Amino acid sequence: MRRFVLILIAVTIAALAAPLDSRAEQPKLIVLISIDQFPQEYLQRFRRHFVDDGFGRLLTSGAVFTNATLNHAITLTGPGHAVLSTGTYGHRNGIVGNAWYDRAAKRNMYCVEDAQTRLIGVPGTGRSPANLTTGTFGDQLRIGGSFQPRVVSISGKDRAAILMGGKLANGAYWMEDSIFTTSTYYMEQLPEWVRAFNATGKINAVFGQEWERLLPEEEYSFLGGDDQPFEDGGKGLGRTFPRKITGTDPSRITESFYDALLTSPYGNELVLEFAKEAIRAEQLGQRGITDLLCVSLSSNDYVGHSFGPHSHEVMDMTLRTDRQLAEFFSFLAEMFGLDNCLIVLSSDHGVAPVPEWIRARNGRVEAKRVEGTAVKEAAGAALTKAFGAPAKGTGWVEAMSGGNIYFNREALQNKKVSTEVAARVVATAIAELPTIAGAYAAADLRSQAQRSTLADLLARAYQPARNGDVLYAHRAYQFEGGGSTGTTHGSPYAYDRHVPVILLGPGVRKGLYAGEASPADIAPTLSVLSGAELPPSYEGRVLNEALESEYAR
Ligand SMILES: [Zn+2]
């Protein structure tokens, strides 16, 4: 009997070990690419204009998840990038918004703000992943490889670079005016190669460059005319092609030039060029172990905000991103051979159509910009009606932030009203407002989550210490905070949640996969493909159906 058990154990060990031994070679480099504000739909809408080796390469040779959705409600850049790296949502990773109200400090806290650090080479408050409350795929890659693997993260935006990189990244770099910078969280001074890149003056050299359509105008006209009254032509960009990238003063470089640059294809061009320099200088993928490079292309987001998803500008940005990626992939092919690179493409969120663009087709459709003050006033009125007016000189609502209502808790205490009771009163009252899809007392989110998709999505974006007392969402095609032109994102609707998830590289089986998937699945899947431990708090799933059998779990 004892002998039989021993044999059984030996056989079991052999069976467990075999798949590991027969695995394909580990990728030399994992490249995680996020296109900021990139609905899955763009890959269909503009596909006939793609080249073969950009998006086309991913779509024909990769594992393409056509129904991948972010399953949280606050679809913003900080939260979205934290999902990509941690495989979980704000309720576990802490990034519940781009910013939230800090009750103790009585001010808004930016998601990557960190006063304990400072920026290098430029003034300004420090930045770090201190607000991230769990680890990332990159962190586990570093830990698993005794810190030999390198993780470098690059973006036009600080929050995208920092949150994709995680807590243990070797470096996160982003653009601040004329340079790429980082913070003292990562290092005391910029590496030599970053200083050399900055010294070339490549960012300022964009001043005066033209942005013209890539294709003839008639290819764009199915979207409508180029000049639309709801487009934001600020930053000196104007509403029509062609345009020169100068900012508001065409005679010299001002702050608005850098904003204009980021709202153009030149922003992505610089980020990708910097990424190539990072690969060369940091020897990513060239040291016999798997490294991770994260790249977030920010300019698609700025262009989308200004001109809307049905603009000539967004179409042109998408086509130019396609060509830029084709060029970047050919660089990777030259450096490593694409068979040695694991490329992942996704996005942090989609975008809402411009309300006026919809109403131009049918003026009776309830697509509109909403004043957040209406919600605040209704909340205050409901509390006054239920409990009497608050003490003179004070209000019931202390702060409003991204679909969250933060009560003045002192005012509630004075009336001996519990936060929960007050929150239920307010949630019931504002749910009556014509623009509101749903409102929940924070304390009720979890119990409601089983019955309501909206509550479920909000619950994943909720952490008690950071969120408000009431969470709410407007109806589809209606949003706060979009100014009077352009558009935004941040809602719980499919147009903000449905984004690409595409994997290409060793261990991945190409194909179209129409089942449920999510950007939260990327981090655990990368763990399996690279042999790293799973991200500590992940809730996404391993995308087994797209893995070669030796990897499938
Ligand atoms: Zn974004």
Side-chain angles (χ1 to χ4, degrees):
M1 181 64 194
R2 192 163 159 211
R3 203 173 146 204
F4 172 75
V5 170
L6 284 176
I7 289 169
L8 191 68
I9 289 170
V11 168
T12 309
I13 289 170
L16 284 172
L20 287 170
D21 290 339
S22 66
R23 278 185 178 185
E25 257 186 54
Q26 301 279 312
K28 291 179 177 172
L29 182 64
I30 298 175
V31 185
L32 175 54
I33 302 170
S34 162
I35 306 179
D36 201 313
Q37 191 186 118
F38 200 80
Q40 158 75 20
E41 183 216 353
Y42 288 178
L43 293 174
Q44 314 304 321
R45 198 200 298 172
F46 303 125
R47 181 160 189 179
R48 67 184 185 279
H49 297 297
F50 294 157
V51 293
D52 289 341
D53 45 1
F55 289 130
R57 186 193 293 273
L58 297 174
L59 291 167
T60 54
S61 307
V64 181
F65 287 84
T66 53
N67 288 312
T69 52
L70 287 152
N71 296 318
H72 66 162
I74 312 297
T75 43
L76 297 170
T77 300
H81 284 96
V83 172
L84 290 173
S85 61
T86 64
T88 185
Y89 296 93
H91 65 147
R92 293 187 195 173
N93 68 36
I95 307 301
V96 297
N98 278 343
W100 50 86
Y101 183 67
D102 183 332
R103 286 186 185 278
K106 293 199 177 298
R107 65 176 182 86
N108 279 337
M109 165 66 80
Y110 179 49
C111 62
V112 290
E113 182 178 331
D114 183 359
Q116 307 297 311
T117 66
R118 57 184 172 75
L119 303 185
I120 303 178
V122 281
T125 313
R127 301 283 182 248
S128 89
N131 288 325
L132 193 64
T133 53
T134 190
T136 62
F137 160 68
D139 293 342
Q140 287 300 152
L141 186 71
R142 297 262 292 148
I143 291 169
S146 296
F147 294 93
Q148 294 307 303
R150 288 183 184 156
V151 175
V152 175
S153 190
I154 297 164
S155 174
K157 296 182 183 178
D158 51 10
R159 57 188 179 278
I162 290 168
L163 294 171
M164 276 180 109
K167 290 182 171 295
L168 296 172
N170 298 73
Y173 303 95
W174 60 92
M175 287 164 75
E176 291 279 351
D177 295 350
S178 65
I179 67 165
F180 278 87
T181 187
T182 186
S183 98
T184 52
Y185 176 84
Y186 303 97
M187 58 195 81
E188 282 306 310
Q189 52 178 337
L190 291 172
E192 182 52 42
W193 67 269
V194 177
R195 279 183 279 162
F197 186 96
N198 289 337
T200 61
K202 280 180 183 175
I203 296 180
N204 281 351
V206 173
F207 186 82
Q209 295 286 309
E210 196 176 70
W211 179 17
E212 172 57 301
R213 289 181 199 81
L214 185 69
L215 303 178
E217 182 172 357
E218 56 266 26
E219 299 290 355
Y220 300 71
S221 53
F222 75 100
L223 296 163
D226 184 11
D227 189 7
Q228 300 289 346
F230 48 75
E231 293 183 345
D232 177 357
K235 310 169 194 171
L237 287 165
R239 301 200 308 227
T240 55
F241 283 106
R243 47 177 56 88
K244 277 201 160 57
I245 310 301
T246 61
T248 50
D249 185 344
S251 69
R252 66 192 178 93
I253 290 180
T254 57
E255 195 63 34
S256 68
F257 159 66
Y258 300 111
D259 296 335
L261 183 157
L262 279 171
T263 313
S264 83
Y266 294 103
N268 288 352
E269 195 172 296
L270 286 160
V271 165
L272 287 169
E273 200 163 326
F274 188 83
K276 286 192 221 165
E277 205 46 49
I279 290 172
R280 288 190 205 102
E282 300 278 346
Q283 294 190 297
L284 301 180
Q286 297 156 58
R287 300 172 303 120
I289 43 174
T290 303
D291 293 322
L292 170 66
L293 172 70
C294 305
V295 178
S296 174
L297 301 175
S298 310
S299 292
N300 305 70
D301 180 67
Y302 291 113
V303 172
H305 275 290
S306 290
F307 302 99
H310 299 89
S311 60
H312 291 204
E313 286 81 359
V314 159
M315 174 164 165
D316 202 66
M317 266 310 286
T318 307
L319 302 191
R320 287 183 183 276
T321 305
D322 176 48
R323 274 67 170 177
Q324 288 164 340
L325 287 177
E327 205 272 326
F328 187 63
F329 295 158
S330 85
F331 169 82
L332 295 177
E334 247 169 63
M335 288 289 290
F336 314 105
L338 278 185
D339 289 351
N340 293 309
C341 284
L342 179 57
I343 299 172
V344 182
L345 179 85
S346 192
S347 177
D348 56 343
H349 52 76
V351 66
V354 174
E356 292 80 7
W357 182 84
I358 294 184
R359 285 211 311 275
R361 271 72 182 176
N362 187 331
R364 288 175 294 281
V365 174
E366 289 281 310
K368 62 184 176 193
R369 298 168 200 277
V370 179
E371 290 291 337
T373 48
V375 176
K376 185 178 177 184
E377 279 163 18
L383 290 175
T384 296
K385 190 177 167 199
F387 310 114
K392 239 194 162 90
T394 68
W396 286 118
V397 176
E398 190 167 310
M400 304 281 291
S401 177
N404 283 256
I405 304 173
Y406 295 80
F407 292 152
N408 176 349
R409 288 185 175 167
E410 210 179 296
L412 291 176
Q413 276 158 18
N414 289 341
K415 298 275 185 189
K416 300 196 168 28
V417 178
S418 80
T419 303
E420 278 181 40
V421 168
R424 287 181 189 129
V425 166
V426 167
T428 306
I430 66 172
E432 299 294 318
L433 293 174
T435 70
I436 296 290
Y440 301 89
D444 296 336
L445 267 181
R446 291 231 157 70
S447 57
Q448 295 293 318
Q450 292 137 20
R451 283 176 291 181
S452 148
T453 305
L454 176 58
D456 192 36
L457 296 170
L458 284 167
R460 280 196 208 92
Y462 174 77
Q463 210 178 68
R466 294 181 180 177
N467 289 79
D469 302 304
V470 176
L471 282 77
Y472 65 91
H474 291 287
R475 291 185 179 168
Y477 310 123
Q478 309 189 19
F479 55 77
E480 285 177 28
S484 58
T485 53
T487 186
T488 195
H489 49 85
S491 84
Y493 299 108
Y495 51 74
D496 279 345
R497 297 197 293 115
H498 186 195
V499 294
V501 169
I502 306 179
L503 295 88
L504 170 69
V508 176
R509 281 165 52 189
K510 76 170 187 176
L512 282 183
Y513 300 89
E516 272 186 32
S518 161
D521 303 337
I522 289 172
T525 303
L526 289 179
S527 293
V528 169
L529 283 167
S530 64
E533 183 53 274
L534 293 156
S537 310
Y538 83 102
E539 60 187 307
R541 68 183 179 89
V542 175
L543 295 167
N544 264 321
E545 63 271 41
L547 301 190
E548 299 291 358
S549 54
E550 65 264 33
Y551 291 92
R553 290 159 68 91

